Amino acid sequence: MDFTGKVVVVTGSSSGIGAATAKLFAEHGALLTIVGRNETRLLSVADVCEQAKGNRPLCLLLDLTQENSCEEVIRKTAEMYKRIDVVVNCAGSATVTSLFDTTMDVFDELIALNLRVPYRLTQLCLPYLKITKGSIINVYGAPLRTRPGFLAVAMIRDALERFTKSGAVELASEGIRMNAVRPGITRTNFLENLNVDHEAMDRAYAAISSLVPNQVIIEPDEIARMILFTASDVCPNLNAASLIVDAASSSY
């Protein structure tokens, strides 16, 4: 799978699946725009990407939920590369919340990053993807059983599924593909973002792995390989697909 000369935008690139995805595209020759909120980690990812083929990514330190941030991503990418071939909507977060929380702050934050950002980025990149007959990959969780505290996350996950399927139908006439890669329990910053102590991290993952049929936590590199495949021309009619990589966790 050769991406030489193709321009790929990866959000959420400073850690986890986004970082692994950016590095893998770089290894396959892509010209990258990487977007993240942690400067140290984002620059570290950029260094690794540059070592692969000598192409330094365009690094954008942005909070995509802020006004005009999505516009800045597409504008600066187009200014630098003059084209866009692939957009990987990988930025996301999960926070424990509940209907018993009478404020809307956490819910609105989750909607803004996980749902509004990929929708807006997709809108903005379409003029370029129409020219390149490009591809959009939405990355969000596999369809696991909803647990207390994750109602909002489950709602967003279902909305992204509909966005991917219906969006693919809308865009097909322009030769643009939209697919979803949906990881199961993957080793990312998720537990850290939930304030799990580093010393307790291994114990937490051990407990979580008991929920998976093969009792294995997926590594980000595996999900990155599926994203790369989905964005490639190997299966040109792969469209509106929901590609679940979760070791059969959602099989019930």
Side-chain angles (χ1 to χ4, degrees):
M1 290 178 282
D2 185 8
F3 283 85
T4 301
K6 292 191 175 183
V7 176
V8 181
V9 178
V10 184
T11 66
S13 301
S14 55
S15 64
I17 294 169
T21 299
K23 294 172 186 177
L24 190 60
F25 271 108
E27 290 176 12
H28 286 76
L31 304 173
L32 286 160
T33 293
I34 59 175
V35 188
R37 292 188 288 187
N38 184 297
E39 183 174 16
T40 301
R41 292 201 301 246
L42 189 67
L43 293 177
S44 177
V45 171
D47 290 341
V48 175
C49 291
E50 185 175 13
Q51 291 168 10
K53 297 287 185 179
N55 299 315
R56 181 74 178 178
L58 171 61
C59 298
L60 299 178
L61 186 68
L62 291 170
D63 179 348
L64 291 172
T65 65
Q66 297 301 304
E67 187 174 1
N68 294 321
S69 290
C70 292
E71 286 81 355
E72 185 173 350
V73 170
I74 302 304
R75 176 176 56 81
K76 288 190 173 180
T77 300
E79 286 176 353
M80 181 164 182
Y81 299 118
K82 313 303 180 187
R83 62 182 290 157
I84 300 174
D85 296 88
V86 179
V87 174
V88 183
N89 288 312
C90 202
S93 67
T95 305
V96 176
T97 188
S98 168
L99 283 171
F100 293 103
D101 178 1
T102 57
T103 72
M104 292 296 291
D105 294 346
V106 174
F107 182 84
D108 289 343
E109 289 171 4
L110 289 171
I111 290 290
L113 180 58
N114 294 284
L115 191 56
R116 190 183 190 281
V117 164
Y119 188 92
R120 184 59 177 148
L121 278 174
T122 297
Q123 285 183 318
L124 294 167
C125 72
L126 292 183
Y128 304 95
L129 295 183
K130 285 169 63 175
I131 296 171
T132 60
K133 305 304 178 186
S135 176
I136 301 162
I137 297 99
N138 300 318
V139 183
Y140 58 97
L144 300 175
R145 185 180 68 183
T146 303
R147 299 181 180 277
F150 293 98
L151 172 60
V153 173
M155 292 168 63
I156 292 166
R157 179 188 63 203
D158 291 348
L160 285 168
E161 181 177 15
R162 175 49 53 200
F163 171 52
T164 302
K165 291 181 177 180
S166 297
V169 173
E170 280 197 17
L171 302 179
S173 62
E174 297 291 349
I176 302 169
R177 296 185 297 127
M178 178 184 281
N179 292 289
V181 173
R182 306 184 59 181
I185 300 171
T186 306
R187 198 181 307 277
T188 65
N189 286 347
F190 174 71
L191 292 179
E192 183 178 328
N193 293 338
L194 293 178
N195 296 320
V196 175
D197 190 274
H198 281 282
E199 295 180 359
M201 202 74 72
D202 289 340
R203 294 197 302 275
Y205 273 121
I208 293 171
S209 68
S210 66
L211 304 174
V212 184
N214 64 357
Q215 298 188 345
V216 171
I217 302 296
I218 300 168
E219 298 298 331
D221 288 348
E222 181 175 351
I223 307 303
R225 290 194 293 273
M226 180 59 80
I227 293 170
L228 187 87
F229 169 79
T230 305
S232 75
D233 296 327
V234 173
C235 293
N237 291 300
L238 182 67
N239 201 12
S242 182
L243 302 170
I244 299 169
V245 184
D246 72 344
S249 295
S250 57
S251 298
Y252 51 84

